[in-house]
Amino acid sequence: MPRAAAQTLADAAAGGALTGTDGARVELPAAALVDAATGAAVTGPVQVTLTPVDVNAAAVAAFPGRFEGINGDGTRTPIVSFGTTEFLLSQAGRPLQLKPGVRATIQLPVYASQDLGGAALAAGGSVPLWSLDERSAQWINEGQGTLVVDAASPTGLALRAEVGHFSWWNADKGYTPYRPKPKCINDVPGQYDSIFEQATICKMLAEMDKPIPAQGSQARPARAQALAARPAAAAASAPRFPFPAVRIDGDVPMAGGVAIDIPPDYDVVLTGTALNGTWRGQVKVKGGQGATADVNVPLRPVAVGGSAERITLPFDQTRTAAMFRLDSYRFDALAGQGLDLGVAAAGSTLTGRVRVLDATGQVLDGSSFGSSSARLLVTLPVAGEYRIEIEPRSGAPGAYRLQAALATVTARLPSAALSEGEPFSAPALLSQGGTALALWVERGSNSLVLMGSRNASTGQDWQAAQVLAPAPGYTDALGLQARADATGQGWVMWNDGNGPVVARGPVAPGSVWPAPVALASASCRGADAQHLAVNASGQALVMWQRAGSIGVWCTRRFEGGVWLAEQVVDSTARFQVPGSTPVTSFPATLALTDAGRAVAVWQRNEFGGGLLTAQQDTATAAWTTPAVLISDTRAGAPVLAASSTGTLALAWGSNGSLFAAEQPQGAAWSANQLLGDIGSSGNVQLAWLGAARFAVAWNTFSSGPRVVEKATAQPWGAPRVLAAGTSLPLMMNLAADSEGRAATLSVANSRSNIGLDLVLDRRAPATGVWTTAAEVLAVRPVTTGGVPFPRLAPLAVGSGWADAGWLEFTTGSSPVLRVRAARLPATP
């Protein structure tokens, strides 16, 4: 379960209050915060993350620590939880705490309406308050909190208290337990004895029996809005499991004899699994306070996975996967029906992939499962037979749970989840020779690594993600930039805080890349702006702004298989317009023609101030003296593209308008031409469409994205509308190939639900017509850290395919952040 999105408190010196999901809340007095490491006073904006856990929903699996606490007198006690919330405050990534002696007020959503004895909770009552000791995973009692009315909470109640530090806080009660001693036994003696006797440990899970289905906050967006407008009494009457929760898991010997602590006088379900979940059984127990008893938990072998097995929906069973065996399940559906599919490891270490295919074998959707579950929502386009395939990657033989049902599903273009661990960066995409490669940074076992997933086929048959290379020092401020050349090599660049780091390796499936190369010297470090350009012949150029200087750029070139010496482009003399304010980071753009000519264009000062340019005609030549290219004092935010013959196209903004110019190889720049209005949104994109044609796409402030095209020696055409039928779309990315195929991906307010949609437009090369897809790619795309918004959903177009990638939260009560990607025909 990921943390909630961070909110910003405007000024720590002034204090203030912020409210999160289900009414989680923090109230800070003025000048209350200090740096947790140094104790220094904190002022200015701070980031506040409030993450509640609904203990009576599936999110209870994310409950931090153990269901065990330490009382004020030092005695230990088992606990049950009414709800827990993490309070995390930071500034520029550094954790913050309360100043010694200062107290803040917090509110925890309460997710149970009765205590263990059945007495109803009511405003004015109290519940013990506990904080998490993250070193021991135990809860420490820190007094009591007071129950208050809170219409945002699912039960209409919250626990309010004053605290002297921030951490996970928990509304819990201790109890005198019933102590069963579970023993896992073979429920089919005489059969499979030799297999069962291999088991030495039985994994045991104890959960309170819940006859009333829990309705967690993530599963009820419309209901949550209704509750907010209803009195607390009405909210408290909603059909939820009324008691506090407990979820105890651990290992017990197969011979039994080890007691576990569970709530007394209540039905508790003990689920035992053995041999990596391939044996499973369950028993319901109930006992009095302080009592103990030996309890047998009968286990049976879990059925093996299907082999073209025909199933009827709804389907919910646990099956065993074997290594090197593909499990498949067939079912029938009508045209337009939706499939709601979930797959998760069931008491096992199994990881794998799940795919949904139509009768022709076309992959409609896919995802990974492992430590987190996979959930697919797929629209089934035609009547007929469909197939679910489950392919293990590791941990087999192991058990998985397959849940499938026909449901109403919002129609979406097919895509696939690529990541299993939580990504550390937004993705980058490149395409070469018919293979797409999605790239992102993920936290490995000991360090950050560059991950990759390839697709060399039709549909959403993305290969399992693999570690391509280490990603030393990756910082999220500049994200990833990726390019591909015509020699089969892919390039990806990030910044390590000192300067650019470039990794280079084959796009082809199955290959691992060499170690990345850090390019900045000690005298030319910089982490404010950087750019990567690659041409068809495998040359590359990197340009980055030198730290602590105004208008000084450092460059390095890749030629003949090696990185050449560093060169400096110094525009200090021409950089600052009289009376303007200098800046340390400013927009720039870079192009490298197939003939090896490098051209850079950058903004002159923070208000625009015109555009400067310099060029390098060969790898060993010096850069020309920076010259003024555009003298308009409001010109800024340039973008540059090159054709295969060396023709350059340049687009830039000026005072809310968009302009463009062109320079054929060996000729002067053309006159500037007005293309349209970029309002206050901009996000100008420029791409070569093959032959002598270019396209510029951008977003207007009030009416969404537009595209304009031109051919050499002809003026730019009239703007055309993109993302037709969407509400307030924002331009995100444009990509094209040399055959005239092109695509744009826009983010827009959802057509049908709360959130955002990714909207795809594609260009038909024969007619030049742009068509907006009737379905959207995704709902609720997200960013991470400081990754700029336009990098949210990169595109790559090549060999007849349009490939897109983005970050998205999975659906369900415990959403997980994943990299997702789609491969679709580039021609609409």
Side-chain angles (χ1 to χ4, degrees), residues 636-672:
V639 288
L640 190 64
S643 74
S644 61
T645 61
T647 296
L648 298 178
L650 177 70
W652 68 94
S654 176
N655 198 28
S657 297
L658 180 64
F659 293 85
E662 180 185 41
Q663 185 195 41
Q665 175 68 33
W669 282 94
S670 68
N672 305 341

mmCIF file of all heavy atoms in Angstrom, residues 636-672:
data_model
loop_
_atom_site.group_PDB
_atom_site.id
_atom_site.type_symbol
_atom_site.label_atom_id
_atom_site.label_comp_id
_atom_site.label_asym_id
_atom_site.label_seq_id
_atom_site.Cartn_x
_atom_site.Cartn_y
_atom_site.Cartn_z
ATOM 1 N N GLY A 636 11.110 32.465 -25.664
ATOM 2 C CA GLY A 636 11.645 31.492 -24.712
ATOM 3 C C GLY A 636 11.107 30.101 -24.986
ATOM 4 O O GLY A 636 10.318 29.884 -25.907
ATOM 5 N N ALA A 637 11.520 29.128 -24.170
ATOM 6 C CA ALA A 637 11.066 27.733 -24.225
ATOM 7 C C ALA A 637 11.204 27.136 -25.625
ATOM 8 O O ALA A 637 10.234 26.667 -26.221
ATOM 9 C CB ALA A 637 9.619 27.628 -23.747
ATOM 10 N N PRO A 638 12.429 27.111 -26.200
ATOM 11 C CA PRO A 638 12.595 26.594 -27.563
ATOM 12 C C PRO A 638 12.564 25.075 -27.627
ATOM 13 O O PRO A 638 12.934 24.386 -26.678
ATOM 14 C CB PRO A 638 13.978 27.114 -27.958
ATOM 15 C CG PRO A 638 14.723 27.166 -26.652
ATOM 16 C CD PRO A 638 13.702 27.574 -25.623
ATOM 17 N N VAL A 639 12.132 24.533 -28.775
ATOM 18 C CA VAL A 639 12.236 23.109 -29.088
ATOM 19 C C VAL A 639 12.753 22.978 -30.508
ATOM 20 O O VAL A 639 12.399 23.768 -31.390
ATOM 21 C CB VAL A 639 10.889 22.371 -28.924
ATOM 22 C CG1 VAL A 639 10.526 22.225 -27.467
ATOM 23 C CG2 VAL A 639 9.773 23.075 -29.686
ATOM 24 N N LEU A 640 13.597 21.971 -30.756
ATOM 25 C CA LEU A 640 14.333 21.845 -32.006
ATOM 26 C C LEU A 640 14.223 20.414 -32.503
ATOM 27 O O LEU A 640 14.236 19.467 -31.717
ATOM 28 C CB LEU A 640 15.799 22.201 -31.740
ATOM 29 C CG LEU A 640 16.777 22.381 -32.892
ATOM 30 C CD1 LEU A 640 16.374 23.577 -33.758
ATOM 31 C CD2 LEU A 640 18.182 22.591 -32.335
ATOM 32 N N ALA A 641 14.116 20.237 -33.838
ATOM 33 C CA ALA A 641 14.111 18.901 -34.432
ATOM 34 C C ALA A 641 14.860 18.951 -35.746
ATOM 35 O O ALA A 641 14.934 20.005 -36.402
ATOM 36 C CB ALA A 641 12.686 18.402 -34.645
ATOM 37 N N ALA A 642 15.413 17.800 -36.167
ATOM 38 C CA ALA A 642 16.191 17.705 -37.402
ATOM 39 C C ALA A 642 15.651 16.592 -38.284
ATOM 40 O O ALA A 642 15.221 15.544 -37.792
ATOM 41 C CB ALA A 642 17.661 17.448 -37.089
ATOM 42 N N SER A 643 15.670 16.820 -39.596
ATOM 43 C CA SER A 643 15.308 15.772 -40.546
ATOM 44 C C SER A 643 16.545 14.954 -40.891
ATOM 45 O O SER A 643 17.674 15.299 -40.519
ATOM 46 C CB SER A 643 14.732 16.400 -41.823
ATOM 47 O OG SER A 643 15.772 16.988 -42.591
ATOM 48 N N SER A 644 16.373 13.884 -41.658
ATOM 49 C CA SER A 644 17.510 13.031 -42.030
ATOM 50 C C SER A 644 18.471 13.755 -42.968
ATOM 51 O O SER A 644 19.648 13.383 -43.074
ATOM 52 C CB SER A 644 17.004 11.749 -42.694
ATOM 53 O OG SER A 644 16.281 12.054 -43.866
ATOM 54 N N THR A 645 18.005 14.801 -43.664
ATOM 55 C CA THR A 645 18.862 15.555 -44.576
ATOM 56 C C THR A 645 19.519 16.752 -43.903
ATOM 57 O O THR A 645 20.261 17.488 -44.546
ATOM 58 C CB THR A 645 18.048 16.050 -45.781
ATOM 59 O OG1 THR A 645 16.997 16.914 -45.311
ATOM 60 C CG2 THR A 645 17.446 14.882 -46.544
ATOM 61 N N GLY A 646 19.252 16.962 -42.608
ATOM 62 C CA GLY A 646 19.879 18.045 -41.882
ATOM 63 C C GLY A 646 19.059 19.306 -41.777
ATOM 64 O O GLY A 646 19.515 20.299 -41.185
ATOM 65 N N THR A 647 17.838 19.325 -42.323
ATOM 66 C CA THR A 647 16.964 20.484 -42.154
ATOM 67 C C THR A 647 16.535 20.581 -40.695
ATOM 68 O O THR A 647 16.168 19.569 -40.080
ATOM 69 C CB THR A 647 15.726 20.370 -43.055
ATOM 70 O OG1 THR A 647 16.140 20.404 -44.415
ATOM 71 C CG2 THR A 647 14.752 21.512 -42.805
ATOM 72 N N LEU A 648 16.566 21.808 -40.145
ATOM 73 C CA LEU A 648 16.174 22.034 -38.761
ATOM 74 C C LEU A 648 14.860 22.780 -38.711
ATOM 75 O O LEU A 648 14.580 23.648 -39.552
ATOM 76 C CB LEU A 648 17.240 22.858 -38.032
ATOM 77 C CG LEU A 648 18.636 22.258 -37.915
ATOM 78 C CD1 LEU A 648 19.568 23.239 -37.217
ATOM 79 C CD2 LEU A 648 18.596 20.939 -37.161
ATOM 80 N N ALA A 649 14.041 22.440 -37.730
ATOM 81 C CA ALA A 649 12.832 23.197 -37.422
ATOM 82 C C ALA A 649 12.908 23.623 -35.965
ATOM 83 O O ALA A 649 13.368 22.857 -35.105
ATOM 84 C CB ALA A 649 11.590 22.358 -37.670
ATOM 85 N N LEU A 650 12.480 24.860 -35.682
ATOM 86 C CA LEU A 650 12.534 25.428 -34.341
ATOM 87 C C LEU A 650 11.191 26.043 -34.021
ATOM 88 O O LEU A 650 10.600 26.739 -34.861
ATOM 89 C CB LEU A 650 13.629 26.502 -34.263
ATOM 90 C CG LEU A 650 13.769 27.257 -32.945
ATOM 91 C CD1 LEU A 650 14.323 26.337 -31.863
ATOM 92 C CD2 LEU A 650 14.672 28.483 -33.114
ATOM 93 N N ALA A 651 10.684 25.768 -32.817
ATOM 94 C CA ALA A 651 9.449 26.397 -32.339
ATOM 95 C C ALA A 651 9.716 26.995 -30.971
ATOM 96 O O ALA A 651 10.535 26.474 -30.199
ATOM 97 C CB ALA A 651 8.311 25.385 -32.277
ATOM 98 N N TRP A 652 9.040 28.092 -30.642
ATOM 99 C CA TRP A 652 9.227 28.763 -29.358
ATOM 100 C C TRP A 652 7.995 29.605 -29.028
ATOM 101 O O TRP A 652 7.164 29.876 -29.896
ATOM 102 C CB TRP A 652 10.489 29.645 -29.393
ATOM 103 C CG TRP A 652 10.394 30.847 -30.300
ATOM 104 C CD1 TRP A 652 10.019 32.116 -29.974
ATOM 105 C CD2 TRP A 652 10.645 30.866 -31.716
ATOM 106 N NE1 TRP A 652 10.031 32.928 -31.075
ATOM 107 C CE2 TRP A 652 10.426 32.191 -32.163
ATOM 108 C CE3 TRP A 652 11.045 29.897 -32.646
ATOM 109 C CZ2 TRP A 652 10.575 32.574 -33.484
ATOM 110 C CZ3 TRP A 652 11.198 30.290 -33.971
ATOM 111 C CH2 TRP A 652 10.972 31.600 -34.382
ATOM 112 N N GLY A 653 7.892 29.973 -27.782
ATOM 113 C CA GLY A 653 6.790 30.799 -27.336
ATOM 114 C C GLY A 653 7.225 32.241 -27.150
ATOM 115 O O GLY A 653 8.393 32.534 -26.879
ATOM 116 N N SER A 654 6.266 33.145 -27.271
ATOM 117 C CA SER A 654 6.526 34.567 -27.038
ATOM 118 C C SER A 654 5.228 35.261 -26.687
ATOM 119 O O SER A 654 4.305 35.325 -27.514
ATOM 120 C CB SER A 654 7.146 35.216 -28.278
ATOM 121 O OG SER A 654 7.319 36.612 -28.080
ATOM 122 N N ASN A 655 5.136 35.720 -25.436
ATOM 123 C CA ASN A 655 3.985 36.515 -24.998
ATOM 124 C C ASN A 655 2.663 35.791 -25.249
ATOM 125 O O ASN A 655 1.688 36.388 -25.702
ATOM 126 C CB ASN A 655 3.989 37.874 -25.706
ATOM 127 C CG ASN A 655 3.111 38.897 -24.989
ATOM 128 O OD1 ASN A 655 2.922 38.822 -23.771
ATOM 129 N ND2 ASN A 655 2.579 39.847 -25.737
ATOM 130 N N GLY A 656 2.615 34.492 -24.965
ATOM 131 C CA GLY A 656 1.380 33.735 -25.103
ATOM 132 C C GLY A 656 1.109 33.217 -26.496
ATOM 133 O O GLY A 656 0.089 32.572 -26.722
ATOM 134 N N SER A 657 2.005 33.488 -27.447
ATOM 135 C CA SER A 657 1.838 32.996 -28.816
ATOM 136 C C SER A 657 2.957 32.023 -29.151
ATOM 137 O O SER A 657 4.003 32.001 -28.502
ATOM 138 C CB SER A 657 1.841 34.160 -29.810
ATOM 139 O OG SER A 657 0.750 35.024 -29.578
ATOM 140 N N LEU A 658 2.750 31.221 -30.199
ATOM 141 C CA LEU A 658 3.709 30.219 -30.619
ATOM 142 C C LEU A 658 4.215 30.556 -32.020
ATOM 143 O O LEU A 658 3.428 30.833 -32.934
ATOM 144 C CB LEU A 658 3.057 28.835 -30.624
ATOM 145 C CG LEU A 658 3.946 27.667 -31.041
ATOM 146 C CD1 LEU A 658 5.083 27.474 -30.053
ATOM 147 C CD2 LEU A 658 3.127 26.385 -31.158
ATOM 148 N N PHE A 659 5.552 30.509 -32.187
ATOM 149 C CA PHE A 659 6.175 30.810 -33.464
ATOM 150 C C PHE A 659 7.063 29.643 -33.888
ATOM 151 O O PHE A 659 7.476 28.819 -33.067
ATOM 152 C CB PHE A 659 7.028 32.080 -33.361
ATOM 153 C CG PHE A 659 6.233 33.334 -33.119
ATOM 154 C CD1 PHE A 659 5.862 33.703 -31.835
ATOM 155 C CD2 PHE A 659 5.845 34.139 -34.188
ATOM 156 C CE1 PHE A 659 5.128 34.849 -31.614
ATOM 157 C CE2 PHE A 659 5.110 35.297 -33.967
ATOM 158 C CZ PHE A 659 4.744 35.658 -32.681
ATOM 159 N N ALA A 660 7.385 29.613 -35.191
ATOM 160 C CA ALA A 660 8.279 28.595 -35.712
ATOM 161 C C ALA A 660 9.095 29.154 -36.855
ATOM 162 O O ALA A 660 8.711 30.137 -37.510
ATOM 163 C CB ALA A 660 7.489 27.368 -36.170
ATOM 164 N N ALA A 661 10.249 28.512 -37.092
ATOM 165 C CA ALA A 661 11.108 28.847 -38.225
ATOM 166 C C ALA A 661 11.804 27.581 -38.687
ATOM 167 O O ALA A 661 11.835 26.564 -37.978
ATOM 168 C CB ALA A 661 12.124 29.918 -37.834
ATOM 169 N N GLU A 662 12.404 27.644 -39.900
ATOM 170 C CA GLU A 662 13.024 26.472 -40.491
ATOM 171 C C GLU A 662 14.367 26.856 -41.105
ATOM 172 O O GLU A 662 14.548 27.967 -41.620
ATOM 173 C CB GLU A 662 12.101 25.900 -41.567
ATOM 174 C CG GLU A 662 12.625 24.663 -42.262
ATOM 175 C CD GLU A 662 11.706 24.236 -43.404
ATOM 176 O OE1 GLU A 662 11.206 25.116 -44.141
ATOM 177 O OE2 GLU A 662 11.514 23.031 -43.558
ATOM 178 N N GLN A 663 15.327 25.927 -41.060
ATOM 179 C CA GLN A 663 16.628 26.144 -41.686
ATOM 180 C C GLN A 663 17.020 24.901 -42.490
ATOM 181 O O GLN A 663 17.493 23.908 -41.934
ATOM 182 C CB GLN A 663 17.708 26.439 -40.644
ATOM 183 C CG GLN A 663 19.047 26.792 -41.278
ATOM 184 C CD GLN A 663 20.198 26.744 -40.305
ATOM 185 O OE1 GLN A 663 20.277 25.837 -39.473
ATOM 186 N NE2 GLN A 663 21.099 27.717 -40.405
ATOM 187 N N PRO A 664 16.862 24.937 -43.809
ATOM 188 C CA PRO A 664 17.367 23.825 -44.621
ATOM 189 C C PRO A 664 18.882 23.729 -44.516
ATOM 190 O O PRO A 664 19.560 24.722 -44.249
ATOM 191 C CB PRO A 664 16.926 24.202 -46.042
ATOM 192 C CG PRO A 664 15.792 25.157 -45.839
ATOM 193 C CD PRO A 664 16.125 25.923 -44.596
ATOM 194 N N GLN A 665 19.422 22.529 -44.713
ATOM 195 C CA GLN A 665 20.858 22.319 -44.635
ATOM 196 C C GLN A 665 21.584 23.299 -45.557
ATOM 197 O O GLN A 665 21.288 23.410 -46.745
ATOM 198 C CB GLN A 665 21.198 20.879 -45.028
ATOM 199 C CG GLN A 665 22.685 20.591 -45.091
ATOM 200 C CD GLN A 665 23.350 20.622 -43.725
ATOM 201 O OE1 GLN A 665 22.728 20.268 -42.741
ATOM 202 N NE2 GLN A 665 24.602 21.041 -43.682
ATOM 203 N N GLY A 666 22.533 24.057 -44.996
ATOM 204 C CA GLY A 666 23.335 24.983 -45.788
ATOM 205 C C GLY A 666 22.663 26.295 -46.097
ATOM 206 O O GLY A 666 23.247 27.138 -46.806
ATOM 207 N N ALA A 667 21.464 26.548 -45.602
ATOM 208 C CA ALA A 667 20.738 27.786 -45.890
ATOM 209 C C ALA A 667 20.521 28.573 -44.609
ATOM 210 O O ALA A 667 20.817 28.113 -43.501
ATOM 211 C CB ALA A 667 19.402 27.473 -46.561
ATOM 212 N N ALA A 668 19.982 29.773 -44.767
ATOM 213 C CA ALA A 668 19.687 30.621 -43.617
ATOM 214 C C ALA A 668 18.336 30.249 -43.019
ATOM 215 O O ALA A 668 17.516 29.559 -43.641
ATOM 216 C CB ALA A 668 19.677 32.088 -44.053
ATOM 217 N N TRP A 669 18.111 30.692 -41.788
ATOM 218 C CA TRP A 669 16.823 30.468 -41.140
ATOM 219 C C TRP A 669 15.736 31.260 -41.865
ATOM 220 O O TRP A 669 15.953 32.373 -42.320
ATOM 221 C CB TRP A 669 16.873 30.896 -39.682
ATOM 222 C CG TRP A 669 17.564 29.902 -38.791
ATOM 223 C CD1 TRP A 669 18.875 29.923 -38.427
ATOM 224 C CD2 TRP A 669 16.992 28.752 -38.177
ATOM 225 N NE1 TRP A 669 19.173 28.850 -37.626
ATOM 226 C CE2 TRP A 669 18.018 28.108 -37.445
ATOM 227 C CE3 TRP A 669 15.715 28.186 -38.160
ATOM 228 C CZ2 TRP A 669 17.811 26.948 -36.721
ATOM 229 C CZ3 TRP A 669 15.499 27.021 -37.443
ATOM 230 C CH2 TRP A 669 16.533 26.409 -36.739
ATOM 231 N N SER A 670 14.567 30.666 -41.979
ATOM 232 C CA SER A 670 13.421 31.333 -42.603
ATOM 233 C C SER A 670 12.878 32.413 -41.690
ATOM 234 O O SER A 670 13.264 32.530 -40.520
ATOM 235 C CB SER A 670 12.324 30.310 -42.891
ATOM 236 O OG SER A 670 11.768 29.837 -41.659
ATOM 237 N N ALA A 671 11.951 33.176 -42.222
ATOM 238 C CA ALA A 671 11.253 34.160 -41.397
ATOM 239 C C ALA A 671 10.385 33.446 -40.362
ATOM 240 O O ALA A 671 9.918 32.319 -40.579
ATOM 241 C CB ALA A 671 10.393 35.060 -42.281
ATOM 242 N N ASN A 672 10.173 34.112 -39.242
ATOM 243 C CA ASN A 672 9.326 33.542 -38.192
ATOM 244 C C ASN A 672 7.880 33.519 -38.639
ATOM 245 O O ASN A 672 7.404 34.453 -39.288
ATOM 246 C CB ASN A 672 9.446 34.360 -36.911
ATOM 247 C CG ASN A 672 10.884 34.503 -36.454
ATOM 248 O OD1 ASN A 672 11.741 33.725 -36.859
ATOM 249 N ND2 ASN A 672 11.139 35.484 -35.612
#
